[in-house]
Amino acid sequence: MNRRDARLRDESGARDKLGLGTALRTWGLRHAQVFFYSLGQLWRTPLSLLMTATVIGIALALPTGLHVLLQNAQRLSDGWDGAAKISVFFGLPTLESQVRKVQTDIQQLPEVANVVFISREQALSEFKQQSGFGEALNALTENPLPQVLVVSPKSSTEPTALDQLVERLRALPQVEYVQLDRQWVKRLFAIMAIASRGIDILGGMLALGVVLVIGNTIRLAIQNRREEIVVIKLIGGTDAFIRRPFLYTGFWYGLAGGIMALVFIDGAIALLSGPVERLAGLYHTPFRLYYLDLITITQLLGVSIGLGWMGSWLAVGRHLRAIEPR
Amino acid sequence: MIQFINASKRYPSGFDALLNVSFELQAGEFAFLTGHSGAGKSTLLKLIALLERTSRGQVIVNGQNTQKISRRRIPYYRRNIGFIFQDHQLLFDRSVFDNVALPLIIAGLPPREIGRRVRAALDKVGLLSKEKSSPITLSGGEQQRVGIARAVVNKPAVLLADEPTGNLDPELSLEIMQIFEQFRQVGVSVLIASHDWDLIRRLGHRVLTLKTGRLIADTQGVT
């Protein structure tokens, strides 16, 4: 901040001893003027602005759009984690009445949606039907299958609460083994984590692309205004003064590109949502695609403006020194 | 105001554009810098405006040793020097007013003050009625006067001009010189590079003559 103060003093105080208040006000006014002047300059060539913004928009829409799809998928699978079922196996000598009593106890727990009792006979006949070992099983003199309670937790249950529930069930008398059936959910999450990392990498590369696109656009703008830069340097313009309109131009490119990306993403979601809802209907789930929320929109625009600023900063830093009056 | 002490300029190619030049120009003094093309006139002006750095010796302007001014400080230093070019270096994408206002915008003056000073400068060069025109619609002499207005608008202590009348006929040239004369009268040091001998003789000011980078004559005016 000290350097900026010093510069403010330099710019105003070198010639006329203006009050700091006047100097600050003039400085702010000058910034506002350059801010809108640079927009006006871009507005004069709408087609080239539109094309640059579209390139930036596509580059930003790709990773952001994939991110949104992934978020949607996570929203969908969040329900599945809660829908994991817990199988509680009882020791063979346990009486059915004892199991029934445990069933009503479990039913009382707040995290539990419902509990289904499967008797040894039921289990055996199901197993005969589904395993295809029907004949072989007939050879058994004794039913080897235990009694089972299948516990469905409420779908809103957090993963940690689910683990606690499993621990509690394990501690119950006569319970021999408790199995939480969510291995596949964990695998799904692992896959999604990989997808998420992949999108981050893609996003990083495309962000670099955006910086270079804007840098190149600004480089051309600098070359077009070479004459003006020379004159400004001749009559005592500081580097900051010369840099300012280009930085604001970068800002506008970033903002325009970000808005373009928003249009692309929400457009794509609108196109996809119909078929997705039809598919969800076939699975009897009320799932629907979510559009970008306010936080994501703010982040997208912020990142996009930041990249625009960075790109023009790099271009200006590299090319401004090369232009010196001779 | 301007003091050269054994100042030399050697370009990286090995060419000596100026060799051991020494002279002093007082505040409010008017001098011509003359010599054939390639004698070092432009280089001398560039050393004062810090468009080039001295290789040896010293150039002291307004009490400041120009060698000691860092790159970062150059813009602030240049605001105290008005520079007028043969090709006037106006920006054709904006009005006369905006061209003249540029040094004040750079210096960060408030808008009201800018309007007042730009009109005062345009008035001095007789172009007040043209403030809204585009420089491209003006005649050569008028364009040069806009260049002068821009050079003097922030009241510099030193006015440098490199062949300011190079493209003008004798009558217009004299007009331009009379404008410079006015600034000298208010205490500005004026140094004009020119090889228009007729004009120089007619005005009768101090003349510094350069030949292949050396100062070979320094004749006081005879008015």
Side-chain angles (χ1 to χ4, degrees):
Chain A
M1 279 296 99
N2 273 334
R3 261 184 68 193
R4 163 146 300 173
D5 289 347
R7 205 159 60 211
L8 266 176
R9 263 201 310 282
D10 280 347
E11 283 186 8
S12 56
R15 182 136 318 284
D16 300 79
K17 303 290 173 254
L18 298 169
L20 187 62
T22 316
L24 267 176
R25 209 166 37 245
T26 310
W27 186 78
L29 182 72
R30 190 60 55 206
H31 267 268
Q33 276 175 352
V34 174
F35 186 69
F36 291 110
Y37 171 78
S38 54
L39 178 65
Q41 289 274 311
L42 291 175
W43 210 250
R44 268 190 229 170
T45 52
L47 200 67
S48 78
L49 171 63
L50 191 70
M51 286 200 295
T52 310
T54 306
V55 171
I56 299 165
I58 291 170
L60 292 175
L62 207 58
T64 316
L66 288 173
H67 177 73
V68 170
L69 285 183
L70 191 70
Q71 258 185 346
N72 272 299
Q74 269 160 354
R75 229 174 235 144
L76 183 64
S77 57
D78 277 350
W80 296 344
D81 189 30
K85 288 189 166 46
I86 305 169
S87 305
V88 183
F89 298 90
F90 289 81
L92 281 181
T94 321
L95 295 173
E96 186 176 330
S97 58
Q98 285 175 308
V99 177
R100 287 288 188 188
K101 194 183 162 296
V102 173
Q103 181 184 8
T104 46
D105 287 349
I106 295 175
Q107 193 73 66
Q108 306 299 318
L109 294 173
E111 305 95 325
V112 173
N114 72 329
V115 187
V116 176
F117 172 74
I118 298 172
S119 68
R120 298 180 63 187
E121 292 71 32
Q122 257 177 300
L124 186 64
S125 67
E126 259 178 47
F127 190 62
K128 272 182 184 166
Q129 272 172 16
Q130 288 172 11
S131 66
F133 292 126
E135 294 300 316
L137 289 171
N138 281 338
L140 293 173
T141 51
E142 219 176 309
N143 183 353
L145 298 176
Q147 303 176 89
V148 181
L149 288 177
V150 178
V151 179
S152 300
K154 286 188 178 134
S155 60
S156 58
T157 313
E158 299 281 321
T160 46
L162 206 58
D163 287 334
Q164 281 166 9
L165 178 64
V166 169
E167 283 311 309
R168 201 180 304 171
L169 294 175
R170 218 162 253 162
L172 290 172
Q174 288 100 25
V175 169
E176 221 173 56
Y177 184 67
V178 176
Q179 190 187 12
L180 176 61
D181 184 20
R182 58 165 191 183
Q183 206 56 44
W184 66 274
V185 176
K186 279 187 176 162
R187 283 187 193 130
L188 181 68
F189 279 1
I191 290 168
M192 286 207 283
I194 292 171
S196 170
R197 182 64 55 85
I199 292 168
D200 286 350
I201 294 169
L202 182 74
M205 289 194 292
L206 287 169
L208 186 66
V210 169
V211 168
L212 294 180
V213 165
I214 292 179
N216 200 43
T217 312
I218 298 292
R219 184 180 64 82
L220 290 175
I222 291 171
Q223 242 126 53
N224 282 336
R225 298 175 65 182
R226 197 186 176 87
E227 207 188 337
E228 184 184 342
I229 293 171
V230 167
V231 170
I232 291 174
K233 283 199 174 183
L234 279 173
I235 59 181
T238 55
D239 285 351
F241 182 89
I242 298 167
R243 212 183 284 131
R244 213 171 286 154
F246 295 109
L247 292 183
Y248 280 123
T249 305
F251 168 92
W252 289 116
Y253 273 128
L255 182 65
I259 292 171
M260 247 6 214
L262 283 182
V263 171
F264 287 145
I265 294 165
D266 274 349
I269 293 174
L271 287 176
L272 283 174
S273 68
V276 165
E277 269 168 45
R278 231 167 295 141
L279 179 68
L282 293 176
Y283 281 98
H284 303 290
T285 61
F287 176 75
R288 47 178 282 270
L289 284 175
Y290 285 84
Y291 287 88
L292 292 176
D293 53 31
L294 203 62
I295 294 170
T296 317
I297 290 174
T298 319
Q299 282 171 342
L300 176 62
L301 291 182
V303 165
S304 153
I305 289 168
L307 292 175
W309 192 277
M310 208 195 296
S312 65
W313 188 273
L314 287 176
V316 172
R318 270 194 56 211
H319 299 287
L320 223 48
R321 251 171 202 251
I323 303 176
E324 280 291 345
R326 285 275 156 260
Chain B
M1 187 50 70
I2 300 174
Q3 194 182 3
F4 273 60
I5 306 168
N6 293 324
S8 299
K9 174 64 189 178
R10 170 175 288 190
Y11 283 104
S13 60
F15 171 66
D16 286 310
L18 282 183
L19 265 173
N20 286 324
V21 173
S22 299
F23 71 92
E24 193 174 353
L25 192 71
Q26 303 295 333
E29 201 176 355
F30 193 127
F32 282 106
L33 186 62
T34 189
H36 295 289
S37 46
K41 301 190 296 284
S42 296
T43 303
L44 194 148
L45 294 184
K46 282 178 179 173
L47 291 185
I48 300 173
L50 270 180
L51 293 170
E52 294 289 354
R53 295 271 191 184
T54 334
S55 311
R56 271 182 296 117
Q58 291 179 349
V59 176
I60 294 160
V61 179
N62 210 356
Q64 266 185 300
N65 186 343
T66 56
Q67 279 304 88
K68 298 221 167 86
I69 297 171
S70 69
R71 191 188 172 280
R72 222 179 70 78
R73 301 290 315 171
I74 287 178
Y76 307 107
Y77 167 77
R78 281 192 191 143
R79 291 175 196 179
N80 210 23
I81 294 173
F83 207 126
I84 293 143
F85 312 88
Q86 182 173 5
D87 57 352
H88 39 73
Q89 299 264 24
L90 298 179
L91 297 172
F92 291 130
D93 65 344
R94 59 197 76 188
S95 68
V96 166
F97 181 97
D98 288 343
N99 267 281
V100 177
L102 199 53
L104 303 178
I105 291 172
I106 287 169
L109 261 65
R112 260 187 44 219
E113 183 74 6
I114 290 177
R116 206 178 57 74
R117 286 212 198 172
V118 169
R119 292 199 181 90
L122 283 174
D123 193 27
K124 262 183 217 150
V125 299
L127 284 177
L128 195 51
S129 59
K130 304 271 187 182
E131 64 168 89
K132 290 199 177 70
S133 311
S134 165
I136 203 129
T137 64
L138 303 182
S139 70
E142 287 171 329
Q143 289 183 351
Q144 194 54 281
R145 271 144 65 192
V146 175
I148 294 171
R150 187 183 64 192
V152 300
V153 73
N154 55 2
K155 300 175 187 161
V158 175
L159 208 51
L160 306 175
D162 194 359
E163 304 280 357
T165 60
N167 298 327
L168 303 177
D169 59 48
E171 208 173 313
L172 282 174
S173 301
L174 193 62
E175 241 175 66
I176 298 285
M177 288 305 165
Q178 278 158 357
I179 294 172
F180 286 133
E181 191 80 29
Q182 288 172 24
F183 290 110
R184 181 189 69 86
Q185 279 160 13
V186 295
V188 178
S189 305
V190 183
L191 183 59
I192 298 174
S194 174
H195 57 248
D196 188 344
W197 306 101
D198 285 342
L199 190 69
I200 294 169
R201 227 168 282 142
R202 260 168 86 182
L203 289 165
H205 287 296
R206 181 180 175 189
V207 179
L208 300 162
T209 311
L210 286 169
K211 191 179 180 185
T212 57
R214 289 170 205 274
L215 189 62
I216 55 163
D218 183 352
T219 56
Q220 289 302 320
V222 279
T223 29

